[in-house]
Every structure is written in structure tokens, then in C-alpha cells.
Amino acid sequence: MSPAASRVRVLIADDTPAQREGWRMILAAQPDIDIVGEVGDGARALAVVRREPTDVVLMDLHMPRVNGLAASERITTDGQVRQLGPAPRVVLATALDLDDHVVDAARAGVFAVVYKDLDPDALLSTIRAAARAVDLATAAPTDARPDAGRGRRG
């Protein structure tokens, strides 16, 4: 999310229409969240984030064509995506086997891995945290330490 932006732009990616609808209902009810699109596979997710500025991709792990792990890696490293700004943060969701994918997800640049039946408030908190995350690869250097600007003794 850009520093000036107060709204979170989210792409929903899941091959199950009912899951997309459920996430859409949760997200659309939030005054600070805009849904930039809904897609059914990772290839389409990449296509959307290449043309629509997106802060967070809420994506299923298991999808046809391009699964969530492969799509996450592509989204977080794609040069065309980065031309629009910092790469979106990916929140990867699965119905099962969460522990089996955490390491691979971290390698793919995923911000968080959650269960699909995560409580809506926890899901919203995760999405908002992802949107606020700083892209360390492109962030400008700052001195945000609590003691910044104060004289030091030493």
C-alpha cells in the first residue's frame, strides 16, 4: 500500500466460486478495502496485478494451471508488476496441509499462509497487516528509531 493511500486494494484468487464469493462478501463490507478483481487461477492473478495496482493478493494454494505457490513467486518478482509500484503482498490460503507449505511459501515471497476457514476478523487483520508491510527491497532509508534526533551519549 502506498504511504498516501488509505484504502487496501485486494485481488481475490481461488478456483472455487463459492470461496471467492465468501471472501468478496467479507472484504466488500469493509470501508477501507477495494476489490480490484477476482480470478480462478494463478496465471490470471499475475495478469491482473500486471495491469491493476494491487496491495494484497488473497490466493488459494491449490489452483489449476498455475498454483498459488508458483503464482506468488511470479507476482513478487515480476518486473512488469513492479513498474506499477511495490509488488503486492500475497496471503496464501489453504484448506489443509498448512505446515507442509510454509517454507516453500516463504521462499516464494508470501507474506502469510492461513487456513481458508480463518475467522473473518483475523483474515482482515492479516490483509491489513500485509498492506502495511514495508517492501525492504524498495523502501527509502529512514531513521525511525525511537531515539532518532536526540543527542547520544557515548
Side-chain angles (χ1 to χ4, degrees):
M1 185 165 67
S2 68
S6 60
R7 301 186 60 76
V8 180
R9 300 164 299 193
V10 179
L11 171 65
I12 298 170
D14 194 294
D15 61 317
T16 306
Q19 183 67 53
R20 290 194 309 264
E21 181 179 342
W23 283 340
R24 180 182 348 103
M25 289 173 54
I26 293 167
L27 299 177
Q30 303 307 305
D32 63 327
I33 294 179
D34 291 323
I35 300 169
V36 299
E38 296 179 36
V39 297
D41 65 63
R44 289 187 178 113
L46 179 60
V48 170
V49 299
R50 281 180 167 169
R51 68 175 186 270
E52 293 290 331
T54 305
D55 300 308
V56 178
V57 178
L58 176 57
M59 184 159 37
D60 182 17
L61 173 64
H62 301 287
M63 293 185 292
R65 290 182 62 199
V66 178
N67 72 32
L69 280 174
S72 297
E73 186 170 9
R74 292 176 189 175
I75 287 168
T76 59
T77 61
D78 187 82
Q80 194 173 339
V81 172
R82 290 211 177 244
Q83 288 178 357
L84 296 176
R89 301 302 182 279
V90 177
V91 175
L92 203 57
T94 184
L96 38 106
D97 63 13
L98 181 87
D99 293 337
D100 294 342
H101 299 287
V102 172
V103 172
D104 291 335
R107 286 186 189 127
V110 170
F111 177 82
V113 182
V114 299
Y115 283 112
K116 284 187 174 184
D117 64 355
L118 184 66
D119 173 83
D121 289 334
L123 178 64
L124 292 166
S125 293
T126 302
I127 289 170
R128 288 179 177 120
R132 288 190 309 267
V134 175
D135 184 348
L136 297 177
T138 61
T142 62
D143 196 348
R145 294 170 295 153
D147 64 343
R150 292 189 219 147
R152 293 191 183 201
R153 297 179 192 177

